[in-house]
Amino acid sequence: MSTKSLPTDDWRHSERDALLEFAAKAVKPAGFGYLDAQGHHQADHGIELWINGRFTHVMACEVLRGNEEARPLLDLGMKALTESLWDDKYAGWLASVHTGEDEAGMADGRVLPFDEGSTRKQSYAHAFVILAAASAMQAGHPAARRLFDVAHELADHHWWEPVGLVRESASRDWSEFEDYRGINANMHTVEAMLASFDAANDLEFLERARHICRFVIEQAEPHQWRIPEHYTSDWTFDPEYNRDRPADQFRPWGATVGHGLEWGRLIIQTAVVSLRHRQIEAGEAAELVAAALHLIDRAVADGWAVDGHDGFVYTTDFDGQPIVHERMHWVVCEAINAVHAARRALAELSEQGQNVPTDGLTISPERYAELEATWWKHADDYFIASPGRWREELDKEGNLSEQTWTGMPEIYHAYQALVLPDGDYAVGFAAAAKGK
């Protein structure tokens, strides 16, 4: 694969098929398990909600693409979300349950929570339930509409705050909520809102997505487009949060390079879809896209090959100095998707006579296709160990690392990078798959 040319459709489709073959190894009676680097379930994990939401979404996308072999896997994911992980006692979803293979993990025919912490309710994982339900609705799954409605009803009641953002986690019975507020859960809520709009055609979902995107832009711009991730209960930035846990899986200290890239794509998609549906004017769409380009620009400047080795570092401080040098597969996938969406959005807006201001960018938008090709080459050289088998985390020399992640828990980021060029870049991945 050349650093000057994008991967061929045949290569992407072959890699996508191999990725799905690898993912099928995650199948357990209660849902999708947590895979190690070889594709075997890691016994120290259960059936996790966020993973099953992601797997179910991917399988819905595959059904929409016409892959009938994915339909039983979509059924399994929907079973996990409507039965295995559902909390009959208090409503909502458990964070993790047993696999359903061992009688010790069962009671009265139901799988039990995996451990004490698995009973906690998480808005981050809840967002993936909404995403999965929205994608499954578009794939025509018979249980999807009910799951979609229940998930939104619970989110409205428990997660959404008057400020138009979602809070973080709650006790099993919803009686106690965590004081912490985080951008990560809100990022995936934007993704879920865009998918919900595709599924239900309700403009309120688009409005909610735009509101969160504007909040992120307002927070990032004064920090030279590095995104503050962690907040107190009144949404005041907490710059010291998790300083002693810089490599945390979901709440690392500092600025997360991959989130700058992912937010860039999501803001572009939110802006373009809102413009297409006449919810904002072209000038406002251009301003949102310009902000997204600044987020992408900052993430690349801070994160790509900044320590003498190719690859994106995981986190930096708010001066842009690398903190965690490990490379994550999901970050390079989001980098690929970000510049892909950016160049296509710029072309679409230009065709409408709308120029996006690009003053102050260090990376010329004319380089986006070149960078997309470079990062695909990097992914192929370093992260794809063999067809369909991606490595989750590497050190800066390109060796396998497990500082933050073990194994290869799921395929969602890699899958979405492989399929984005096939469909509409601005809509949700399920809508793009359906429209192909």
Side-chain angles (χ1 to χ4, degrees):
M1 188 181 296
S2 169
T3 59
K4 300 297 183 183
S5 59
L6 295 171
T8 65
D9 290 349
D10 286 345
W11 182 88
R12 285 189 299 101
H13 296 163
S14 175
E15 182 57 31
R16 180 202 72 212
D17 293 344
L19 190 69
L20 287 160
E21 184 177 348
F22 177 84
K25 299 177 182 179
V27 168
K28 294 292 179 183
F32 294 100
Y34 185 114
L35 294 175
D36 65 15
Q38 305 304 319
H40 305 298
H41 175 67
Q42 290 190 194
D44 58 341
H45 288 261
I47 302 300
E48 299 188 27
L49 180 59
W50 68 279
I51 289 176
N52 278 262
R54 290 183 176 192
F55 266 118
T56 305
H57 157 68
V58 166
M59 298 312 166
C61 290
E62 274 300 291
V63 169
L64 284 160
R65 292 178 61 84
N67 181 0
E68 285 302 309
E69 292 182 5
R71 196 172 292 277
L73 298 173
L74 173 58
D75 289 339
L76 175 67
M78 291 297 292
K79 176 184 176 183
L81 299 179
T82 58
E83 297 179 22
S84 303
L85 287 152
W86 175 253
D87 185 354
D88 273 338
K89 187 173 183 179
Y90 294 107
W93 288 270
L94 302 169
S96 181
V97 295
H98 283 274
T99 63
E101 297 173 301
D102 185 349
E103 289 186 6
M106 304 284 291
D108 300 324
R110 288 188 57 83
V111 286
L112 296 170
F114 187 70
D115 54 29
E116 185 177 349
S118 297
T119 64
R120 196 159 183 85
K121 306 292 166 61
Q122 306 166 331
S123 67
Y124 172 89
H126 193 126
F128 289 112
V129 176
I130 295 176
L131 174 66
S135 298
M137 271 178 66
Q138 293 170 81
H141 195 282
R145 181 73 213 207
R146 173 62 178 162
L147 179 63
F148 182 87
D149 290 342
V150 169
H152 274 290
E153 181 182 355
L154 285 169
D156 287 344
H157 188 67
H158 294 296
W159 298 130
W160 285 101
E161 296 193 295
V163 293
L165 304 165
V166 297
R167 50 186 172 179
E168 193 70 18
S169 74
S171 58
R172 181 177 183 177
D173 63 0
W174 303 101
S175 63
E176 173 268 324
F177 286 84
E178 186 178 5
D179 287 338
Y180 170 83
R181 301 291 186 269
I183 278 299
N184 200 358
N186 280 272
M187 180 176 72
H188 288 292
T189 297
V190 168
E191 177 185 33
M193 293 303 101
L194 294 177
S196 294
F197 173 71
D198 290 335
N201 198 33
D202 185 337
L203 292 171
E204 182 181 355
F205 297 131
L206 267 185
E207 183 179 350
R208 288 182 172 189
R210 285 197 305 277
H211 180 83
I212 298 176
C213 288
R214 290 191 185 104
F215 174 84
V216 169
I217 292 168
E218 290 168 1
Q219 295 295 310
E221 186 172 7
H223 291 90
Q224 292 76 51
W225 298 103
R226 299 179 184 100
I227 300 172
E229 295 266 343
H230 311 301
Y231 297 82
T232 61
S233 60
D234 64 354
W235 286 99
T236 299
F237 175 40
D238 183 356
E240 295 303 308
Y241 184 85
N242 262 1
R243 182 179 279 273
D244 60 339
R245 294 178 57 83
D248 191 84
Q249 292 179 338
F250 299 107
R251 304 179 187 181
W253 177 76
T256 305
V257 168
H259 286 171
L261 298 162
E262 195 165 356
W263 271 111
R265 170 178 62 85
L266 288 167
I267 292 169
I268 288 168
Q269 292 173 317
T270 300
V272 171
V273 172
S274 296
L275 176 62
R276 290 177 182 175
H277 290 273
R278 300 181 180 179
Q279 297 306 294
I280 58 175
E281 299 295 329
E284 183 177 354
E287 290 176 2
L288 287 170
V289 171
L293 299 186
H294 279 285
L295 291 172
I296 295 167
D297 195 71
R298 171 53 65 194
V300 175
D302 283 357
W304 173 253
V306 293
D307 53 9
H309 300 269
D310 282 350
F312 287 96
V313 301
Y314 182 37
T315 62
T316 71
D317 65 19
F318 276 85
D319 293 320
Q321 295 302 306
I323 300 300
V324 178
H325 291 252
E326 260 58 24
R327 277 70 164 145
M328 311 296 178
H329 96 279
W330 69 267
V331 178
V332 73
C333 290
E334 288 301 335
I336 290 165
N337 282 348
V339 292
H340 181 90
R343 64 184 179 85
R344 291 179 65 178
L346 289 170
E348 180 173 340
L349 290 170
S350 178
E351 288 173 2
Q352 299 178 22
Q354 185 66 48
N355 292 321
V356 175
T358 58
D359 297 343
L361 296 178
T362 60
I363 301 168
S364 166
E366 286 72 28
R367 290 193 59 215
Y368 287 164
E370 174 193 341
L371 290 172
E372 188 178 349
T374 295
W375 295 334
W376 265 124
K377 179 68 163 56
H378 177 73
D380 192 28
D381 286 346
Y382 289 95
F383 284 98
I384 304 177
S386 60
R389 187 165 69 86
W390 289 57
R391 301 196 293 173
E392 176 72 27
E393 176 183 339
L394 308 174
D395 66 19
K396 65 183 180 181
E397 283 84 19
N399 302 309
L400 190 66
S401 173
E402 293 189 340
Q403 179 176 347
T404 298
W405 292 99
T406 61
M408 180 65 186
E410 42 76 32
I411 64 167
Y412 144 97
H413 288 283
Y415 176 86
Q416 293 189 157
L418 289 164
V419 303
L420 183 60
D422 287 336
D424 186 339
Y425 73 95
V427 297
F429 285 89
K434 181 172 61 176
K436 178 61 178 174

